[in-house]
Amino acid sequence: MIGIFDSGIGGLTVAKAIKKVLPSYDLVYFGDTARVPYGNKSDDLIKQYALEDAKFLISKGAKIIIVACNTASSVALDYLRSNFDIPIFGVIEPAVRGALEATVNGNIGVIGTRATINSKVFEKLLKNFDLLKQNKKIDKNVNVPAFMRKQGISPVKDKMKINIFSQSAPLLVPLTEEGHLNRPETIKIIKYYISPLKMKQIDTLILGCTHYPLLKDLIQTKMKNTTLIDSAVYIAEDLRKYLSANIDIDRSLSKRKCENYYVSDLTLHTQNIVQKFLGKKINLEYVKLN
Ligand code: DGL
């Protein structure tokens, strides 16, 4: 089984993207709706939650884990990898790859939760990418994804100077969860968050939080000539490529088109929001961790 977790239900968009490219693979999803949001918690607490989430998925038969939550991917990915010996993927590296592929002027913006932006994970990754391009020693504490180490992006892009401008956008999470996807207050707050990025003349914006893709159309109207990067598409693609290159792991994954979705708190509101997120009803099961 492919295990996917998020702090809540936003990660279902990642599950949907994976399902699209790997339709026969069994999925188990866990959304920690009882403890969401992770984005304003301390790094230690985020790591503890991520560890418990991953343990739950493994207890359900996951042989590979996708951390769909940007906050947990930013803060807890290395910690998870040091605790489990199964492949664990986050959503940050795929988003960076997507942004590097898309940018033309080298100015990339990122919006995310406070914990994600404070982790400086995007800046650290890109700094290592720069050092690699110059054949200099990289920071060993920052994991360098294969796409940077092996093939780079393209000869033109690899010479380009990349600037990253980040902005935490915490208010967009509750607005999305309340279903305020096209309301004046949401537009106002989007404008507030993106105006400093616009001044930096970014041409690419990473939507570094599971909730933001739901505001994609709205953000796009305020940033007409900017490419918006939704990591769901890129992580799904990376996973498909990884499985075709790692046959043993691929064989260990069951393929009976089963999907199980668990949440740590289940309300009618959650069910309605899920329907809004996915455009269809799915069966959510309540589970108590530990
Ligand atoms: N899932 C989180 C993320 O992608 C957003 C919500 C939260 O703060 O937990 O960063």
Side-chain angles (χ1 to χ4, degrees), residues 123-274:
E123 288 88 342
K124 286 179 192 164
L125 267 177
L126 284 167
K127 188 163 176 219
N128 264 357
F129 186 48
D130 248 354
L131 293 170
L132 273 177
K133 286 188 291 185
Q134 298 165 43
N135 289 324
K136 289 188 182 158
K137 269 197 187 148
I138 56 166
D139 177 354
K140 291 259 165 43
N141 294 319
V142 181
N143 200 24
V144 175
F147 77 84
M148 287 187 178
R149 206 184 284 278
K150 285 190 201 142
Q151 69 274 32
I153 297 293
S154 73
V156 178
K157 293 283 166 69
D158 292 355
K159 282 197 199 96
M160 188 183 269
K161 176 159 172 33
I162 304 290
N163 299 304
I164 189 128
F165 302 100
S166 51
Q167 170 72 50
S168 62
L171 288 173
L172 298 184
V173 172
L175 283 167
T176 314
E177 294 211 332
E178 285 305 315
H180 293 205
L181 301 183
N182 200 3
R183 297 264 283 263
E185 62 273 21
T186 313
I187 298 172
K188 222 171 180 178
I189 288 177
I190 287 176
K191 272 191 189 159
Y192 168 74
Y193 285 138
I194 62 175
S195 64
L197 299 175
K198 269 181 146 176
M199 282 178 16
K200 301 289 182 191
Q201 284 163 354
I202 61 163
D203 71 352
T204 305
L205 177 66
I206 298 175
L207 305 176
C209 172
T210 45
H211 290 55
Y212 303 165
L214 288 153
L215 300 169
K216 201 172 174 181
D217 292 346
L218 207 52
I219 296 173
Q220 193 75 77
T221 60
K222 301 292 154 214
M223 302 195 91
K224 290 222 168 56
N225 301 317
T226 306
T227 307
L228 304 183
I229 305 293
D230 172 2
S231 58
V233 179
Y234 296 93
I235 181 68
E237 208 176 280
D238 284 1
L239 180 61
R240 188 186 52 74
K241 279 191 198 145
Y242 174 83
L243 292 177
S244 57
N246 292 275
I247 303 295
D248 288 349
I249 295 178
D250 185 65
R251 282 206 188 112
S252 74
L253 301 175
S254 48
K255 300 169 188 78
R256 289 163 306 192
K257 299 186 176 173
C258 286
E259 297 164 53
N260 289 297
Y261 299 94
Y262 296 94
V263 286
S264 51
D265 188 30
L266 185 54
T267 62
L268 190 59
H269 177 71
T270 308
Q271 266 160 344
N272 290 338
I273 291 290
V274 166

Side-chain angles (χ1 to χ4, degrees), residues 6-8 36-40 68-72 113 116 173 208-211:
D6 180 33
S7 57
V36 69
Y38 283 10
N40 53 15
C69 177
N70 289 260
T71 304
T113 65
T116 298
V173 172
C209 172
T210 45
H211 290 55

